[in-house]
């Protein structure tokens, strides 16, 4: 398990004089992974302030599958947007590989709940979109795009249009699109919420396998507790809005996951334990 480094104390930080400079630190934990320090968010609206996240402190390790689970409206999407640099925090700081996040960065590929493929582009054309947008050399990335499609079982579908694919296949294509420029981190906001239960289970197995094959750091958000436990190396449980950290659990299921683990006692126990956090609140949806 990758439990150890997660809890290491990070020495360099917040007081870096120039956030654009890469901070060189003696503490290896600080220079890699994602680290949040006192990160909170209050939306300012015409109707008044909407406190969405209380100050959060935690770290995600390199190569870790990290899942955030919490009730609807607790600030999960807000958290992901801030880590990807799309939204500034109200307080606190976020570091990716020791560098402070101040704007959208190329370190992350993002997958949303809906595949959001361009309907007039082929599957391969959709997967190559980030390469075109980032003006990266097409010839260099084309074999990679094809390899990724192969890896997720879409080898024969490169020239199909999105409507010719099932929902699960479209979402697999969008995962390829998020990985094509070889980002260090893949961030996924309820990526399987729109899929039927059986497809969702298959996608969970597939995603866990992709993570093992690519070694990517994955931050995934869900409101399904079983999905969180099945996928994660660690699960962060959030409270209701304004969200805060209720607990962080190690998932002692080993690196390779199979669906029959969901029938086992370790899985059941952890799911029950996480569910307890919400038994006093309104249920997860
Ligand atoms: N742009 C915004 N302006 C005002 N309030 C917002 C905005 N975006 C989200 N919120 C509020 O912040 C809270 C957290 O939202 P969100 O991060 O989308 O939650 P989750 O993804 O956990 O469902 C919600 O109460 C939501 O209504
Ligand atoms: Mg959300």
């Amino acid at each position: 398990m990758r439990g150890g480094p997660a809890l290491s104390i990070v020495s360099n930080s917040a007081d870096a004089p120039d956030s654009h400079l890469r901070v060189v630190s003696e503490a290896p934990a600080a220079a890699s992974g994602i680290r949040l320090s006192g990160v909170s968010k209050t939306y300012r609206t015409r109707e008044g302030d909407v406190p969405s996240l209380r100050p959060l402190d935690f770290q995600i390790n390199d190569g870790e599958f990290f899942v955030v689970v919490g009730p609807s409206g607790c600030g999960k999407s807000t958290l992901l947007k801030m880590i990807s640099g799309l939204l500034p925090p109200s307080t606190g700081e976020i570091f990716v590989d020791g560098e402070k996040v101040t704007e959208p960065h190329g370190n992350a590929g993002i997958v949303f709940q809906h595949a959001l493929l361009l309907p007039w582009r082929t599957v391969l054309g959709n997967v190559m979109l980030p390469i075109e947008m980032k003006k990266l050399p097409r010839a260099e990335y084309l074999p990679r795009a094809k390899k990724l499609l192969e890896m997720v079982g879409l080898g024969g579908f490169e020239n199909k249009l999105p409507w010719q694919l099932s929902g699960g296949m479209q979402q697999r294509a969008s995962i390829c699109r998020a990985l094509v420029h070889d980002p260090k981190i893949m961030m996924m906001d309820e990526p399987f919420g729109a899929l039927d239960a059986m497809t969702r289970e298959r996608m969970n197995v597939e995603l866990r396998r992709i993570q093992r094959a690519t070694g990517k750091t994955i931050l995934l958000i869900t409101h399904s507790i079983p999905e969180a436990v099945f996928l994660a190396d660690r699960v962060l449980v959030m409270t209701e809005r304004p969200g805060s950290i209720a607990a962080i659990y190690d998932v002692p299921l080993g690196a390779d996951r199979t669906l029959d683990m969901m029938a086992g006692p370790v899985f059941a126990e952890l799911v029950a334990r996480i569910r307890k956090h919400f038994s006093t609140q309104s249920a997860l949806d």
Side-chain angles (χ1 to χ4, degrees):
M1 294 301 298
R2 300 189 187 90
L7 303 169
S8 58
I9 292 168
V10 176
S11 62
N12 87 340
S13 75
D15 45 12
D18 181 344
S19 60
H20 294 288
L21 294 178
R22 182 172 279 276
V23 179
V24 180
S25 158
E26 284 134 40
S32 68
I34 301 167
R35 190 166 58 83
L36 282 80
S37 169
V39 173
S40 75
K41 185 69 186 178
T42 297
Y43 288 101
R44 313 235 173 262
T45 70
R46 262 179 298 169
E47 290 77 37
D49 289 356
V50 183
S52 294
L53 281 173
R54 294 176 206 269
L56 304 179
D57 294 275
F58 65 92
Q59 185 168 334
I60 303 174
N61 300 312
D62 259 352
E64 184 172 39
F65 203 134
F66 193 88
V67 177
V68 175
V69 68
S72 191
C74 74
K76 303 183 294 298
S77 295
T78 299
L79 179 63
L80 185 137
K81 284 179 204 155
M82 290 194 296
I83 295 175
S84 61
L86 294 168
L87 186 72
S90 301
T91 66
E93 292 171 306
I94 299 167
F95 297 88
V96 173
D97 286 349
E99 213 161 330
K100 186 172 164 179
V101 174
T102 54
E103 56 186 27
H105 47 88
N107 289 323
I110 306 181
V111 178
F112 297 98
Q113 177 165 1
H114 298 282
L116 302 173
L117 302 176
L118 299 177
W120 60 87
R121 280 195 163 218
T122 63
V123 169
L124 186 61
N126 269 287
V127 172
M128 286 295 286
L129 196 63
I131 303 304
E132 290 168 33
M133 290 178 74
K134 289 174 196 289
K135 299 193 166 46
L136 295 167
R138 182 177 164 81
E140 194 178 310
Y141 285 90
L142 195 62
R144 182 177 164 78
K146 290 181 174 173
K147 212 172 126 195
L148 282 166
L149 284 168
E150 202 76 50
M151 188 176 78
V152 301
L154 290 177
F157 294 84
E158 292 167 6
N159 298 317
K160 297 270 191 256
L161 291 166
W163 63 267
Q164 296 175 294
L165 273 58
S166 70
M169 290 162 95
Q170 290 183 22
Q171 198 54 304
R172 277 185 271 159
S174 79
I175 291 171
C176 294
R177 184 181 53 193
L179 289 173
V180 72
H181 60 294
D182 203 18
K184 278 203 62 182
I185 309 160
M186 182 156 63
M187 298 200 206
M188 311 179 83
D189 193 352
E190 311 211 17
F192 307 135
L195 303 179
D196 65 85
M198 275 166 72
T199 308
R200 188 170 183 158
E201 282 192 346
R202 273 207 300 277
M203 291 296 294
N204 283 342
V205 175
E206 184 64 16
L207 182 60
R208 184 72 205 182
R209 200 184 58 73
I210 291 170
Q211 196 261 349
R212 297 278 292 147
T214 58
K216 298 287 175 211
T217 306
I218 299 187
L219 166 60
L220 182 140
I221 281 164
T222 181
H223 55 230
S224 160
I225 297 172
E227 180 169 271
V229 173
F230 179 80
L231 287 172
D233 294 317
R234 284 191 302 153
V235 178
L236 186 156
V237 183
M238 284 179 72
T239 64
E240 281 197 13
R241 188 181 73 84
S244 60
I245 300 176
I248 299 181
Y249 292 99
D250 274 313
V251 180
L253 287 173
D256 295 312
R257 309 278 167 94
T258 54
L259 284 177
D260 52 14
M261 284 175 177
M262 295 176 104
V266 176
F267 185 89
E269 203 173 296
L270 190 48
V271 167
R273 201 156 152 200
I274 293 175
R275 200 158 268 147
K276 272 214 182 93
H277 286 283
F278 305 107
S279 57
T280 51
Q281 309 177 350
S282 57
L284 294 186
D285 49 6

